[in-house]
Structures are given as structure tokens and as C-alpha cells.
Amino acid sequence: MEHNILSLDFWQDTVTYESHTMPTGTIGCAALNIPDTVIDKLDELCAPINRFMKTLTSGAPDPALLPETKEAAEKILKMLHTVPPFDCLDMDFYISNISKAFTTDGIQKYQAYSVAFLTGNLAAEQMEEYNNGILLGRITPVLAQLAFSLREYKNGMTQFAMELDATESNRTPDGLAELFGKCFPPELSLSEENKWMSHTNATTQYLSTIRPGEDVAKLVKRMHYVSFVGMFRSDLFEGLCVGHAPKKCRICGKWFLTTN
């Protein structure tokens, strides 16, 4: 599986993220444990990346913002390298390539790639040539919105996780589905106040792939997301479908995943 910071492979009751395979729901559960102090720190680091992203999306990226943006991006990755689920990421890959992407060359490659893509003149053999620009275009919005995504996820899912933890209902797919229906009635799921429940910006593909550490190909559902809030929520809900759910430790207060 190629590096893609916002993609998950689902197969039966497991999920693969950045070459790590685990029970479905593990990623969404781990995100509930990210401390608010970490998110507050991310707010500061995301600010310069947001400023650069605005110039990037306007079509006039400002090279003067690159040093501050690159420094903030590196600090974010280094801060998160021990924080689950971000500890799954290949930090050597991302940090080393950020130093190449957040450059004037990266901006030029991003602009050239965008023009080639929009005009339909993008050839497969050119992709490697645009690598730095593609990474710049993908990782800039991801890091710029990271603090917002984590806060939105925790605000939306912590109360639901508390309901799951407090209930005496059967922690099976049927029991969890019943409780889910009480917390998220169908008629509310896509209303204005609950629009974050939608996955309209996610794309899904099915493909045969050999997962890390295995020899036989599996037919997996690969989902690509535009933000971490959607990715974490999707993994949490896919876990509920197979009977996996978060539970809070009475001793340390952290969330862990029950699978049976």
C-alpha cells in the first residue's frame, strides 16, 4: 500500500492503515485519547500552514511563507510520532519529503501538475516528476485542518462513546446497532446540524491487494478521505458493524477497544 495519510483498507473485521493492520475501530478509538492539550498546541502550529494554504488554493502560492510553513509541518509530525493513531505513520518518509515539498520547486511542480490534470494532459509516466508538487497539494490542507478535525471528532464522538460505555446493552453488532439508532436517528443523520455525519467527500474503491505480512491477496474496500474527522469516524462506525466498540478504562481513564 502506497503512502496515503487519509486512506484506509477494510477487510472483514480488520482495517489497514499505512501498512499496519488492526481490528476495525482501533483508529477511531485511539483518536478519542488524543489529549486536548495536544490539540491546543496543534492550533498554534496549524495557523501558518493555513496562511500558506489560502495562497495555494487562490492560485498564487506565496514562497515567502514556505520556511514558516515547513517548520510548522515538521513540528506537527515530530510531536505526533508517539501519539496513536499517528504513530502508524512512516515519519521518516513524511518528514524527509516535506523538506522537498515545501520549496519553490514544490510550488512549481504543484502548479504544473494542476495545469496538466485540469487540461487532461497528465500522462502516467509524468507522475514521478510531479511527486513533490503532489505531496505539497495533498499534505498542506491535511495539516492545516488537523487541529479542527481532531476537535470536531472528539466533540462529536466522545459523548457517543460515553453512551456506549455506560449502556448495559449487548456489545454485539445487533446491540451496538440498536444503541447507534437511538443516538443517531436516520432522519437526523444528514440534517443541517448533523451534516458532519455525511461522507459525501469520501471516495471508495474495491481492489485486490496483498496486505502487509500476508501472501494471499484480499478483496478490500479502500476508502479515501479529505480529513481526519471523516476517517476516524468511518473506522469507528465500521468497527461497530462487526461488534467492536470503545470502552473506558476505570483505572487510567483511557479508551480501549472491545472486540468480543
Side-chain angles (χ1 to χ4, degrees), residues 225-245:
Y225 308 89
V226 297
S227 70
F228 278 111
V229 64
M231 190 180 85
F232 293 156
R233 190 174 68 245
S234 178
D235 177 63
L236 187 71
F237 291 169
E238 289 282 342
L240 298 180
C241 294
V242 295
H244 300 172

Side-chain angles (χ1 to χ4, degrees), residues 109 112-113 115-117 119-134:
K109 293 291 174 56
Y113 168 78
V115 170
F117 180 81
T119 57
N121 295 320
L122 184 62
E125 57 269 18
Q126 292 178 296
M127 293 299 286
E128 187 172 350
E129 175 189 343
Y130 296 130
N131 272 348
N132 291 339
I134 293 171

Side-chain angles (χ1 to χ4, degrees), residues 31-195:
L32 293 170
N33 288 320
I34 298 174
D36 291 337
T37 53
V38 169
I39 299 176
D40 291 340
K41 179 62 176 175
L42 285 173
D43 269 326
E44 303 173 17
L45 294 174
C46 289
I49 305 177
N50 259 301
R51 287 193 289 272
F52 175 71
M53 184 181 72
K54 290 177 181 177
T55 70
L56 191 68
T57 54
S58 71
D62 185 355
L65 298 176
L66 285 172
E68 185 182 25
T69 304
K70 173 179 170 290
E71 182 182 8
E74 290 176 342
K75 284 183 177 179
I76 287 175
L77 292 175
K78 289 176 181 178
M79 183 174 70
L80 294 178
H81 84 282
T82 59
V83 178
F86 298 105
D87 57 347
C88 291
L89 298 176
D90 183 351
M91 292 299 180
D92 290 338
F93 169 83
Y94 285 107
I95 292 177
S96 64
N97 281 284
I98 274 178
S99 64
K100 301 173 186 176
F102 286 93
T103 59
T104 53
D105 178 69
I107 289 178
Q108 292 169 0
K109 293 291 174 56
Y110 168 78
Q111 292 174 317
Y113 168 78
S114 299
V115 170
F117 180 81
L118 292 173
T119 57
N121 295 320
L122 184 62
E125 57 269 18
Q126 292 178 296
M127 293 299 286
E128 187 172 350
E129 175 189 343
Y130 296 130
N131 272 348
N132 291 339
I134 293 171
L135 181 62
L136 179 70
R138 286 180 178 174
I139 204 166
T140 298
V142 170
L143 295 181
Q145 300 167 9
L146 183 57
F148 173 80
S149 289
L150 293 178
R151 188 170 283 112
E152 283 291 293
Y153 177 75
K154 289 192 69 176
N155 288 344
M157 289 292 103
T158 300
Q159 184 56 46
F160 175 55
M162 295 293 288
E163 294 285 345
L164 290 173
D165 187 43
T167 184
E168 296 299 323
S169 66
N170 191 357
R171 293 175 73 86
T172 64
D174 290 344
L176 294 170
E178 181 181 4
L179 183 62
F180 184 92
K182 293 177 181 177
C183 294
F184 303 112
E187 64 273 13
L188 296 180
S189 59
L190 295 181
S191 65
E192 186 63 27
E193 65 269 22
N194 291 284
K195 60 184 178 182

